[in-house]
Amino acid sequence: MVAPPADWTIDRLAAHAGMTVRNVRAHAARGLLPPPRMQGRTGFYGADHLARLDLITHLQAEGFSLAAIERLVEATPNQSAERALSQYLEMLTPWRAEPPVELTREEFGSWLGDEPASFAALVAAGMVEELADDRIRVHSPEMVRAGVEAAALGLPVEALLRTRETVLAHLDEVADGFVDLFRRTVWQEFVAAGLPPERLDDVRHAVTDLQPIAARTVMSAFRETMPRAVGELVREASQILEDGGGDPM
């Protein structure tokens, strides 16, 4: 039976949250937990503390660092911190990655053209996972589909995966920039106003509308830089031909 609010010692709170006492103390030391109710020298915790720990765990699973969670708490009035964190997480829903899909090995083989080397490369990259009963879990299906289409053009899957890692490294910085822009403007103004419910839909719409804007910005920049890269290739091939070389590639 769950104890009434504010009636758990820190070890019982940790057990309910599925954490170690050390982790709970670390979160409290960072200011991520509200103070406990003190009775003598013993602190007692309740449902609000458990909800906060559950939310911290959820945010970490979404890729938030403790430092980022701490900044959110610091930027929010104490009485609204829980609500702010929940709303912040909810508003990121449009940005979440495409969920994994499961299919049979035969179904996936029709996608991939049943190339063992390509399949092994995708498994090694963590984009495909082998399950029991000859089933496959495909992580980031859109990315895998793009890889399959590129492989159909004769591009090696292994080389595409290496290129993907390079792209992701650069896009991390781009994504951080867009999120920071949102945090310093729309979100900060919303928090400063006390999280008024009547403005919540506007903030959610801003998050949703930012996604195509960010995508168009990235694609536009790519279209500007790709001709330069292709031009370098053409100039290199032309120079080889002028020098009397053979295969320009």
Side-chain angles (χ1 to χ4, degrees), residues 102-109 114 119 128-137:
E102 290 188 15
L103 59 167
T104 66
R105 177 65 184 267
E106 182 179 356
E107 290 169 334
F108 186 72
D114 212 15
F119 179 77
V128 172
E129 179 184 357
E130 295 185 89
L131 305 175
D133 299 325
D134 205 33
R135 294 188 64 78
I136 303 294
R137 177 178 292 127

Side-chain angles (χ1 to χ4, degrees), residues 53-77:
L53 291 175
D54 287 343
L55 186 57
I56 290 170
T57 299
H58 195 166
L59 285 167
Q60 287 183 297
E62 292 290 331
F64 281 71
S65 67
L66 285 176
I69 299 171
E70 186 177 4
R71 285 197 299 272
L72 283 172
V73 173
E74 288 175 350
T76 310

Side-chain angles (χ1 to χ4, degrees), residues 111-126:
W111 253 25
L112 199 61
D114 212 15
E115 299 179 23
S118 298
F119 179 77
L122 290 170
V123 171

Side-chain angles (χ1 to χ4, degrees), residues 10 16 21 35 70 72 84 108 122 130 140 145 156 175 190 194 218 231:
I10 193 168
H16 282 299
V21 172
E70 186 177 4
L72 283 172
F108 186 72
L122 290 170
E130 295 185 89
S140 188
R145 281 193 293 269
F190 181 56
V218 172

Side-chain angles (χ1 to χ4, degrees), residues 90-91 190 196-208:
E90 180 184 347
M91 285 187 289
F190 181 56
E198 66 274 12
R199 287 179 54 184
L200 180 57
D201 282 343
D202 290 338
V203 177
R204 286 175 176 159
H205 288 319
V207 176
T208 302

Side-chain angles (χ1 to χ4, degrees), residues 125-210:
M127 299 184 68
V128 172
E129 179 184 357
E130 295 185 89
L131 305 175
D133 299 325
D134 205 33
R135 294 188 64 78
I136 303 294
R137 177 178 292 127
V138 181
H139 301 280
S140 188
E142 186 175 3
M143 185 74 74
V144 173
R145 281 193 293 269
V148 170
E149 291 170 6
L153 299 177
L155 302 175
V157 170
E158 295 82 354
L160 287 169
L161 290 172
R162 289 194 295 271
T163 302
R164 172 180 175 269
E165 292 302 315
T166 301
V167 171
L168 288 176
H170 289 292
L171 285 181
D172 275 344
E173 185 176 352
V174 173
D176 287 344
F178 277 109
V179 171
D180 186 58
L181 176 62
F182 169 78
R183 180 174 54 81
R184 289 185 292 104
T185 54
V186 177
W187 177 253
Q188 187 169 313
E189 291 171 5
F190 181 56
V191 170
L195 308 174
E198 66 274 12
R199 287 179 54 184
L200 180 57
D201 282 343
D202 290 338
V203 177
R204 286 175 176 159
H205 288 319
V207 176
T208 302
D209 293 343
L210 183 59

